[in-house]
Amino acid sequence: MINKIKLLVFLNLIVFRMFGQFNPQNDEITKKFFPDSELDIHTPAFSKKGFTNYNDMMEYLNKLVAEHPQEISLSFIGESQKNKKIPMVVLNKDNGKEKEKIKVWFQGGLHGDEPAGTETMLFLIDKVLNDPNYTYLLDKITLSIVPMANIDGYEKLDRYAANGLDLNRDQVKLMCKESNFLKKAFSDFGAEVAVDFHEYRPFRKEFGLLGTDGICSIYDAMFMYSGNLNLPQNLRDYTKNVFVGNAKKVMESNNFIFRDYIASVKHNNEVHFNQCTTEARSSTTSYALTNCISSLIEIRGVNLQKTSFKRRINTTFLIATSFLKTVYDDASNIKEVLRISNNSKPENLVVVANKPQETQTIRAISLKDNSEISLDVKVNNAIKCTPVLERKRPTAYLILPEQKILVDKLIILGLKVDELSEDKKIKVESYTVTSIRVNPDEEEGYNAQKAETSLSETEKSFPKGTFIVYLDQKNAKMATEVLEPESENGFVKFETLKVIKNQELPIYRYLTNEKI
């Protein structure tokens, strides 16, 4: 029996190498759980065998621009590593109400092997421009869309950018060319609502440990939103209860299966799950920390090729339009929620948090007989995280002039940075590294640094040109996330700032209320 399994795996690998992606889903599961949607789509992938490529997309977008020059503008925010221009589309209706409109950012194709996001963005642009059921949305919305964020990966149906890095693990360290262009465009646009559209892998290696003969995921869609404790409670609640809540109602009314996002991890020969996120290295929290209502949507699709492709696009489209309709219907409340969130200045900030583990029941498909089953699993829930390390919120951070690399990244992340105009003695808190562990294995282009520091009050002479990052600005929460040395998503962790034991860090905390 074992030899037969090995032979089947070997033959599947040969097929994979010869013909591209291997689709692990059998016809019975597709017909029983994931029949295709009845949907009239005229995007490029539906006039060919494969998926939309870059040239297809540009031809499609240029045609829409020619047909609707008043409502759509097309620009390029930068280039991919292989020098393909990254397009950004802005949909807007000039009705004299620009200041009242909500700015919405949609993004697809950040992972190149998740084609439903890109295809849905193209479909959505067409519907918002041409279908009266959706054209009204532009009365209250300015919609910016990056339909194919990872062009090089998309062209070869590969998750990663051309340098092998994951663009959705690069939202803070900014080691990829594309990440810098995308983040700069996002910061310049000033989104108030943002959604990143993805697909997830329903057949995973560790799923073989679950059920009798393994399982695959049953969820058409999963919703990720942030539990980061530096986000004000009102913003977290509004995102979860109103935006995600409304989209879940749409899923239910269309008989799709959904839940909050979970991702499996193998732990001591057990399968555990992580639910939602707190981490700024990916888009959900990174967007939210700019005082933005933010979600990431995962559609069941990776490695399924074109199986149930219309269903996947329909699921994505329904969620996307649900978010837009919520913006339209609740525009005035959105402004107030964001105002309250922006003005929230808690006494302490959370540097390190714990994600409590709990038992949850999930739905799945048994590969033994293709039936639906329920499983009790252990879940680390980021939405219920609790503080482990807190610090008093500073008025500003000071960064020594030689650390311009940190400041350049802060500016791309949307932060305003001032400079000392003259040498000055300032009372601050300084960090001293008390311990440091460096992971010997490189991950995503860095060797993770795990630092612990002690704080001490000191009066220090700072030279002219010292950088000042005040925390009375919209993206201030991002500054605390990346500058605190113990942060799981900070410049120290990602080796942007390399540290050694007993070193005084070139970053300082200014606690006095008045400006420097």
Side-chain angles (χ1 to χ4, degrees):
M1 181 66 178
I2 292 175
N3 288 333
K4 286 184 178 179
I5 293 173
K6 286 181 178 179
L7 178 61
L8 285 171
V9 171
F10 177 70
L11 291 174
N12 283 334
L13 286 173
I14 290 175
V15 171
F16 179 87
R17 288 179 180 274
M18 290 175 64
F19 301 107
Q21 288 186 315
F22 168 64
N23 184 350
Q25 183 162 293
N26 63 45
D27 289 342
E28 183 180 346
I29 288 177
T30 301
K31 291 175 183 176
K32 186 174 182 180
F33 295 101
F34 309 106
D36 236 334
S37 299
E38 293 293 329
L39 203 61
D40 189 21
I41 308 178
H42 301 286
T43 55
F46 291 91
S47 61
K48 59 191 291 187
K49 287 186 177 180
F51 294 105
T52 296
N53 61 34
Y54 179 76
N55 290 335
D56 295 334
M57 175 183 67
M58 293 312 305
E59 183 179 345
Y60 184 83
L61 292 177
N62 284 322
K63 180 174 180 292
L64 289 173
V65 170
E67 293 171 350
H68 301 273
Q70 300 303 315
E71 292 83 25
I72 179 172
S73 64
L74 173 64
S75 61
F76 298 95
I77 61 175
E79 293 183 343
S80 74
Q81 293 167 46
K82 293 189 175 181
N83 302 315
K84 296 282 183 73
K85 292 182 179 180
I86 304 169
M88 180 177 74
V89 169
V90 176
L91 303 178
N92 190 34
K93 186 185 291 183
D94 185 6
N95 58 2
K97 298 181 178 180
E98 288 305 303
K99 290 184 179 179
E100 300 171 24
K101 288 186 177 183
I102 304 295
K103 292 183 177 181
V104 179
W105 174 279
F106 279 179
Q107 179 174 279
L110 194 63
H111 291 145
D113 60 346
E114 301 172 10
T118 290
E119 209 67 29
T120 306
M121 292 302 96
L122 299 180
F123 180 56
L124 177 71
I125 293 167
D126 174 56
K127 299 297 276 187
V128 171
L129 290 173
N130 293 310
D131 188 333
N133 290 311
Y134 304 101
T135 53
Y136 76 93
L137 294 166
L138 296 182
D139 291 342
K140 295 184 180 181
I141 293 170
T142 299
L143 177 58
S144 180
I145 299 178
V146 178
M148 190 182 286
N150 178 10
I151 296 167
D152 298 341
Y154 206 96
E155 289 276 82
K156 56 181 182 177
L157 288 180
D158 186 283
R159 176 183 178 92
Y160 303 100
N163 62 357
L165 297 185
D166 187 331
L167 294 183
N168 206 33
R169 304 293 181 270
D170 196 42
Q171 302 280 316
V172 167
K173 55 189 176 71
L174 301 173
M175 294 177 70
C176 293
K177 187 178 180 181
E178 295 91 340
S179 301
N180 286 268
F181 290 133
L182 289 164
K183 191 60 68 177
K184 179 69 163 55
F186 177 83
S187 298
D188 289 347
F189 180 65
E192 294 160 291
V193 176
V195 189
D196 193 5
F197 295 95
H198 286 251
E199 292 189 274
Y200 77 92
R201 187 184 303 272
F203 292 82
R204 298 176 66 94
K205 181 173 63 176
E206 59 268 25
F207 284 178
L209 299 173
L210 298 174
T212 305
D213 289 316
I215 66 162
C216 70
S217 178
I218 198 171
Y219 298 106
D220 286 290
M222 295 194 288
F223 295 86
M224 181 188 283
Y225 45 95
S226 184
N228 189 295
L229 292 175
N230 291 316
L231 297 171
Q233 188 71 51
N234 80 307
L235 181 60
R236 285 182 277 149
D237 289 346
Y238 190 68
T239 302
K240 175 185 176 181
N241 297 330
V242 179
F243 275 85
V244 174
N246 286 348
K248 285 180 175 179
K249 291 174 185 175
V250 171
M251 290 293 94
E252 188 171 24
S253 66
N254 284 273
N255 297 314
F256 289 120
I257 302 173
F258 60 91
R259 62 156 292 137
D260 284 348
Y261 174 81
I262 50 173
S264 57
V265 289
K266 195 172 177 182
H267 181 76
N268 295 332
N269 214 37
E270 274 191 334
V271 179
H272 294 183
F273 290 83
N274 293 325
Q275 179 170 318
C276 289
T277 185
T278 60
E279 297 188 4
R281 66 175 186 163
S282 62
S283 61
T284 319
T285 298
S286 177
Y287 290 164
L289 288 168
T290 67
N291 205 51
C292 178
I293 296 159
S294 168
S295 293
L296 184 149
I297 308 303
E298 293 275 11
I299 303 298
R300 187 184 189 277
V302 173
N303 267 11
L304 297 185
Q305 299 182 49
K306 277 195 167 178
T307 297
S308 307
F309 197 42
K310 280 193 174 182
R311 182 186 184 94
R312 289 147 58 188
I313 290 172
N314 191 27
T315 310
T316 312
F317 178 75
L318 288 170
I319 293 171
T321 51
S322 171
F323 269 73
L324 293 176
K325 288 174 181 177
T326 298
V327 171
Y328 185 92
D329 293 338
D330 218 31
S332 59
N333 283 334
I334 290 168
K335 294 283 189 184
E336 180 64 9
V337 166
L338 294 179
R339 186 192 67 79
I340 293 170
S341 171
N342 190 49
N343 291 336
S344 172
K345 294 177 175 60
E347 183 178 348
N348 291 335
L349 57 88
V350 178
V351 180
V352 179
N354 176 61
K355 301 167 189 173
Q357 190 174 90
E358 60 190 23
T359 299
Q360 293 186 16
T361 301
I362 65 169
R363 299 167 67 180
I365 298 170
S366 169
L367 298 184
K368 180 182 179 181
D369 57 6
N370 300 330
S371 64
E372 181 178 342
I373 59 172
S374 296
L375 295 169
D376 290 335
V377 297
K378 293 177 180 177
V379 176
N380 304 309
N381 192 347
I383 299 304
K384 297 181 180 179
C385 63
T386 55
V388 174
L389 173 62
E390 294 182 87
R391 287 199 174 113
K392 185 175 174 63
R393 185 179 188 270
T395 300
Y397 290 97
L398 301 183
I399 303 172
L400 293 182
E402 60 266 26
Q403 297 299 325
K404 190 171 183 301
I405 184 174
L406 306 186
V407 173
D408 289 343
K409 291 182 186 292
L410 288 171
I411 292 170
I412 291 170
L413 292 169
L415 286 147
K416 183 178 182 293
V417 181
D418 296 322
E419 294 184 27
L420 278 182
S421 59
E422 59 183 4
D423 297 353
K424 193 169 186 179
K425 271 193 170 184
I426 304 171
K427 188 177 180 180
V428 294
E429 284 185 335
S430 65
Y431 302 98
T432 299
V433 179
T434 57
S435 73
I436 180 71
R437 286 178 289 144
V438 181
N439 190 333
D441 299 321
E442 183 179 289
E443 175 190 359
E444 286 296 321
Y446 67 94
N447 295 86
Q449 297 182 124
K450 181 76 172 177
E452 293 182 3
T453 65
S454 63
L455 287 177
S456 58
E457 289 189 1
T458 183
E459 189 171 38
K460 183 178 175 66
S461 295
F462 288 91
K464 176 183 177 180
T466 294
F467 299 106
I468 311 168
V469 184
Y470 288 107
L471 298 192
D472 60 350
Q473 56 179 301
K474 183 175 82 72
N475 291 15
K477 301 172 189 67
M478 179 64 78
T480 63
E481 192 76 15
V482 298
L483 293 176
E484 290 292 334
E486 291 86 356
S487 170
E488 282 296 312
N489 294 272
F491 289 153
V492 169
K493 164 75 176 289
F494 296 136
E495 282 195 310
T496 308
L497 176 62
K498 293 190 177 184
V499 301
I500 59 175
K501 188 175 180 181
N502 299 324
Q503 174 189 5
E504 181 178 288
L505 296 186
I507 302 169
Y508 300 86
R509 294 161 50 87
Y510 175 71
L511 298 177
T512 308
N513 286 332
E514 64 257 21
K515 292 285 179 98
I516 299 171

